Amino acid sequence: MSLGASNPEYVNARVRSRRASLFADEDYRKLIRMGPSEIARFMEETEYEREINALGTRFSGVDLIEYALNRNLAKHFDDLLDWSEGRLYDLVSRYLRKFDVMNLKTVIRGIYTETDPEEVQTDLIRAGELDNRTIDRLLEVDTIEDAIEVVSGTIFYESLSAAHEEYEETGALVPLENALDREFYEHLLEDVSRPPGRTQPQEGPEARYIEFLQAEIDFRNARNALRLARSGADLDPAAYYIEGGVLFDASDLNRLVGDYDALVDHIAENKRYGDRLSGALGRLREADSLIQFEHALDAALLQYADTLSSIYPASVSAVLSYILAKEREVENIRAIARGREVGLSESEIEEELVIL
């Protein structure tokens, strides 16, 4: 099935309007100088007004900001699904499963660190396929094994069950988190129009969808490689390789996992990324910590999605680019609010932001 059976032109027009209301870099610079209550008042003058007003009687400070951000994000992505039809709906709904993955990782980390479920709940974004009942049940369990049982019957159950054995042996969360990523990306690439044996899809409406997903998988593999190198755990990088990208194979990861400069060079030497991501690659080279590297990868993927959507404005790329940009706005505001609450300096907070 092609995107011709759906309505990308209509959805892209709606997305362009929504994208115009996203916060600009100057807005973030203003927020960095505010306390949590001031940030909430600033948000009340923006498109977050409805959420701030609805939640303001129950929450205040950072809690109010967090809940408003998450509710607004879920609303925007529900709108995307309401607008989309046919094949476009299928592609967008698959991609929004990323929030199921994020929520499951958050719950598993919360159990691992014995974090209060109320704190875990503030980090959950109910924008995927897992319904509220399932998410509420996840917040009630005390062990990772019980959390896995809660999602029996979903696409994640079998891979999580298998990864749980390795978690029990190593005590590291990496096997569980990687199992979620692999399951997510494998299902994203199901039945899209890529001929067997080809890394590139045939030209057509779905070609940009494939190209974007290949980039996301490539950057996920790069992120995993550096995380493994920094973890100190005795884990085989090839076991955490996610298939579907164009930049790495399993042997590449084994070779590059311990050499940061070679890893960045490998990305830069690829014609697809080297030609389109010069600015983002510069930030990758300058990163001197894992968090800076991951933020630079996030910025690179966002820049790549923007490039695709500008070159192919009638494709699904514009929708995917908007999803990333909206998600990034929420994460930036969240980082500022949390940073101000714990007394970080303006420069320390700026390091937590992803800004192109």
Side-chain angles (χ1 to χ4, degrees):
M1 186 188 296
S2 74
L3 285 179
S6 58
N7 59 337
E9 294 84 2
Y10 170 75
V11 176
N12 287 341
R14 300 296 299 266
V15 161
R16 281 194 294 274
S17 174
R18 287 284 177 92
R19 181 133 191 184
S21 69
L22 292 177
F23 281 27
D25 290 355
E26 183 58 35
D27 293 318
Y28 297 130
R29 295 188 182 96
K30 292 177 184 176
L31 292 177
I32 287 174
R33 297 191 291 270
M34 300 179 186
S37 60
E38 293 174 291
I39 293 173
R41 286 196 294 272
F42 182 91
M43 291 171 64
E44 193 175 6
E45 301 299 320
T46 70
E47 65 130 52
Y48 293 94
E49 176 186 8
R50 179 180 299 179
E51 290 78 17
I52 292 290
N53 288 336
L55 295 164
T57 58
R58 286 185 287 157
F59 305 103
S60 62
V62 173
D63 284 345
L64 172 59
I65 293 168
E66 299 244 23
Y67 282 112
L69 289 171
N70 292 349
R71 180 179 289 191
N72 179 272
L73 189 68
K75 175 180 75 71
H76 276 260
F77 294 162
D78 284 344
D79 287 345
L80 284 181
L81 294 175
D82 288 342
W83 299 334
S84 302
E85 297 175 359
R87 183 59 163 172
L88 180 61
Y89 177 93
D90 178 48
L91 297 179
V92 172
S93 63
R94 284 188 203 192
Y95 188 70
L96 291 178
R97 281 188 191 142
K98 70 186 292 183
F99 294 101
D100 292 330
V101 171
M102 291 167 58
N103 287 340
L104 286 168
K105 287 182 180 180
T106 298
V107 168
I108 288 171
R109 289 174 194 149
I111 294 171
Y112 184 80
T113 57
E114 299 182 350
T115 302
D116 187 286
E118 284 294 320
E119 293 184 36
V120 174
Q121 180 168 267
T122 63
D123 287 336
L124 301 182
I125 300 170
R126 303 184 185 224
E129 286 188 338
L130 295 180
D131 58 27
N132 286 334
R133 180 172 176 272
T134 300
I135 293 175
D136 290 341
R137 287 175 60 206
L138 285 167
L139 291 167
E140 294 170 356
V141 300
D142 298 319
T143 69
I144 292 175
E145 187 173 12
D146 287 343
I148 293 171
E149 288 303 316
V150 169
V151 295
S152 61
T154 72
I155 64 171
F156 304 110
Y157 178 69
E158 289 187 10
S159 57
L160 278 176
S161 296
H164 187 260
E165 296 181 15
E166 190 170 358
Y167 161 72
E168 291 280 278
E169 295 172 4
T170 65
L173 293 180
V174 175
L176 294 166
E177 296 187 346
N178 192 66
L180 288 167
D181 289 332
R182 292 173 98 168
E183 198 66 30
F184 170 65
Y185 288 114
E186 284 177 10
H187 279 81
L188 272 180
L189 292 167
E190 281 178 345
D191 75 20
V192 287
S193 52
R194 178 173 53 180
R198 288 183 53 164
T199 59
Q200 299 297 323
Q202 291 175 326
E203 283 303 315
E206 291 190 6
R208 306 289 75 79
Y209 180 74
I210 294 289
E211 189 173 350
F212 170 82
L213 295 184
Q214 287 172 336
E216 184 156 324
I217 291 169
D218 283 335
F219 293 164
R220 175 62 60 181
N221 278 325
R223 185 188 308 257
N224 286 349
L226 193 61
R227 281 184 175 178
L228 288 172
R230 299 287 178 89
S231 72
D234 185 19
L235 299 169
D236 177 13
Y240 299 93
Y241 171 70
I242 299 172
E243 295 184 357
V246 298
L247 188 56
F248 302 102
D249 58 29
S251 63
D252 289 328
L253 284 191
N254 275 326
R255 175 173 56 85
L256 298 169
V257 70
D259 190 337
Y260 179 83
D261 290 334
L263 181 64
V264 177
D265 287 342
H266 188 79
I267 299 172
E269 289 165 3
N270 180 275
K271 183 173 176 59
R272 176 189 290 190
Y273 302 130
D275 289 351
R276 294 177 175 173
L277 294 176
S278 56
L281 289 171
R283 287 191 289 273
L284 281 178
R285 293 190 187 282
E286 295 167 4
D288 56 11
S289 68
L290 177 58
I291 190 67
Q292 286 186 12
F293 178 80
E294 294 190 350
H295 286 344
L297 280 178
D298 289 338
L301 183 61
L302 183 54
Q303 181 182 334
Y304 192 71
D306 287 347
T307 300
L308 289 180
S309 65
S310 63
I311 296 174
Y312 309 103
S315 73
V316 70
S317 301
V319 180
L320 299 176
S321 176
Y322 169 71
I323 291 173
L324 287 183
K326 179 64 179 176
E327 183 184 351
R328 192 49 42 206
E329 174 183 271
V330 166
E331 290 303 316
N332 281 342
I333 298 172
R334 189 195 314 278
I336 293 170
R338 288 179 172 176
R340 295 299 293 171
E341 182 183 43
V342 300
L344 295 182
S345 68
E346 292 182 14
S347 61
E348 288 173 324
I349 294 173
E350 285 180 2
E351 289 183 3
E352 297 295 319
L353 307 183
V354 175
I355 300 175
L356 292 182

